[in-house]
Amino acid sequence: MIELENYRKVNASYRKVLVFNFGAFAGFYSEYNNMLKAIAFCLVNKIRFKLYSKDAKFCPVKGWSDYFESFVDEVEDDIHLVLNKRVPDDPYRTAFFSLYLKRKIKKIVGKTNVKVSFSFYDTYLRNRRLKRKYGFRYFTFDLWNDFVHINLNNKVIVESLYSGTYFGLIRELDKMIWRYNLEIKNKVQERISSLNLPKQFVAMHIRGGDKILEADLINWEKYVVTAYQVKVDCRNWFVFTDDYSIIESIKKDYPDYQLSSLCDSRERGYFYGDFLNDKSTMVDKMIRMFASVDICKQAEFFIGTATANPFFVVFLAKDGKNCVSLD
């Protein structure tokens, strides 16, 4: 297991720095999964990882520490709110292409002193100066395509810290990083304890709401049929969902099964925009989500969809075992 202090020591030894913008562009688990990959990529390639999270959309006050204990150096420079994105404004117009195009235009017009305006090139130069001023090498978008496309089966070595596959490294990092602060830890545990879950149960993550914008929604019946197949003798099901009508339908059609969920009876599908707009319920919804995912990690079997981001962290926690993806 990777110890936090060892990670901090190794991470601090690298000269090149990435400032990763966490929480500005997508839902929590999408951001978290990509952050894990970024940290792993940085370790393998000797890049120091720093975090910017104070403008995370689902963190109401401070950022990462609203929910978790600190694990790495954090920065608060406001330039990251504006400039540090997942992808640049036009990822195809790299600085090298800009320079190439500038030279080509001069050659075509036959004048070496012609003034060529290229806004992205100017932006690149400005960003380069800002990076020097604030002491880092990479914005998130500079390395985004590198770390989101890593092969999880590739063998990697991090001197004095880890040797194995990318998947194993990310799994170790997840265990090291996932540490609630005391207040959130108590509230998450309170939610889990309120269900009085049995020792043996099957967990299902059934998404509704705006997930349909990314992938076709799978009917809840396929989940429960799969739950029955993987554990015939288990009549205890936990359902992690954002639509209580799914709970009502399962209870109606499977009255002999014991069903548990933390879904609120008023919920009829998760919509990210609505979630962000309702600050009064944001933290409570995050706590219920954390508790639901923790329960899924504890289940004998977990059934979900790989296109839904919580699947990856449950898959990590269970080391890829006893997890079924229906997509």
Side-chain angles (χ1 to χ4, degrees), residues 176-190:
M176 180 193 77
I177 292 168
W178 195 266
R179 297 178 301 136
Y180 300 119
N181 63 42
L182 184 59
E183 180 184 1
I184 299 300
K185 180 179 180 181
N186 290 336
K187 289 182 177 180
V188 168
Q189 188 54 53
E190 182 181 336

Side-chain angles (χ1 to χ4, degrees), residues 88 90-101 118 120-121 124 141 145:
D90 186 347
Y92 297 103
R93 296 162 78 179
T94 66
F96 294 108
F97 177 73
S98 303
L99 185 59
Y100 168 79
L101 184 61
F118 202 96
F120 188 80
Y121 185 56
Y124 171 81
F141 67 77
N145 286 329

Side-chain angles (χ1 to χ4, degrees), residues 303-325:
I303 302 161
T305 53
T307 52
N309 285 290
F311 185 91
F312 184 65
V313 292
V314 177
F315 193 77
L316 284 175
K318 300 179 79 63
D319 198 17
K321 300 171 184 175
N322 297 334
C323 293
V324 179
S325 174

Side-chain angles (χ1 to χ4, degrees), residues 2-213:
I2 297 176
E3 298 293 336
L4 180 59
E5 289 307 312
N6 291 340
Y7 164 74
R8 285 173 171 166
K9 182 178 179 180
V10 171
N11 184 55
S13 70
Y14 303 142
R15 293 183 61 187
K16 292 181 290 185
V17 176
L18 162 71
V19 177
F20 184 87
N21 190 345
F22 174 82
F25 310 107
F28 175 84
Y29 280 103
S30 172
E31 297 279 349
Y32 180 70
N33 293 344
N34 285 309
M35 182 176 74
L36 288 175
K37 292 179 181 179
I39 297 170
F41 178 85
C42 285
L43 284 171
V44 172
N45 292 278
K46 301 183 184 301
I47 300 168
R48 185 175 182 179
F49 181 92
K50 290 187 178 182
L51 187 66
Y52 175 81
S53 68
K54 77 171 188 176
D55 292 301
K57 294 179 179 179
F58 40 71
C59 297
V61 182
K62 297 173 288 186
W64 176 260
S65 60
D66 283 332
Y67 303 111
F68 299 93
E69 294 182 11
S70 176
F71 70 95
V72 76
D73 290 340
E74 296 195 43
V75 301
E76 296 188 355
D77 303 310
D78 289 336
I79 64 166
H80 296 289
L81 171 62
V82 178
L83 299 176
N84 197 348
K85 302 179 180 182
R86 278 189 171 188
V87 293
D89 294 333
D90 186 347
Y92 297 103
R93 296 162 78 179
T94 66
F96 294 108
F97 177 73
S98 303
L99 185 59
Y100 168 79
L101 184 61
K102 192 172 183 179
R103 289 172 177 168
K104 281 297 242 185
I105 292 174
K106 287 183 176 182
K107 185 176 181 179
I108 291 170
V109 298
K111 296 180 180 180
T112 59
N113 61 346
V114 66
K115 186 176 181 180
V116 178
S117 176
F118 202 96
S119 61
F120 188 80
Y121 185 56
D122 295 337
T123 300
Y124 171 81
L125 292 176
R126 183 172 70 249
N127 287 351
R128 188 170 62 181
R129 289 194 294 269
L130 283 170
K131 288 174 181 179
R132 283 201 299 265
K133 177 181 178 181
Y134 288 97
F136 67 98
R137 174 75 66 88
Y138 304 111
F139 283 122
T140 305
F141 67 77
D142 288 317
L143 299 176
W144 177 261
N145 286 329
D146 294 309
F147 60 72
V148 298
H149 294 123
I150 58 175
N151 187 330
L152 296 178
N153 295 317
N154 280 356
K155 298 284 186 178
V156 294
I157 296 175
V158 181
E159 190 174 349
S160 304
L161 202 67
Y162 177 82
S163 177
T165 64
Y166 253 126
F167 178 81
L169 175 57
I170 291 172
R171 186 167 186 262
E172 290 294 308
L173 292 171
D174 175 51
K175 289 188 287 186
M176 180 193 77
I177 292 168
W178 195 266
R179 297 178 301 136
Y180 300 119
N181 63 42
L182 184 59
E183 180 184 1
I184 299 300
K185 180 179 180 181
N186 290 336
K187 289 182 177 180
V188 168
Q189 188 54 53
E190 182 181 336
R191 289 292 183 135
I192 295 173
S193 298
S194 70
L195 295 179
N196 293 313
L197 291 164
K199 290 184 178 180
Q200 296 183 333
F201 63 94
V202 174
M204 297 171 261
H205 179 211
I206 308 176
R207 270 296 310 267
D210 58 11
K211 189 62 183 176
I212 196 169
L213 300 176

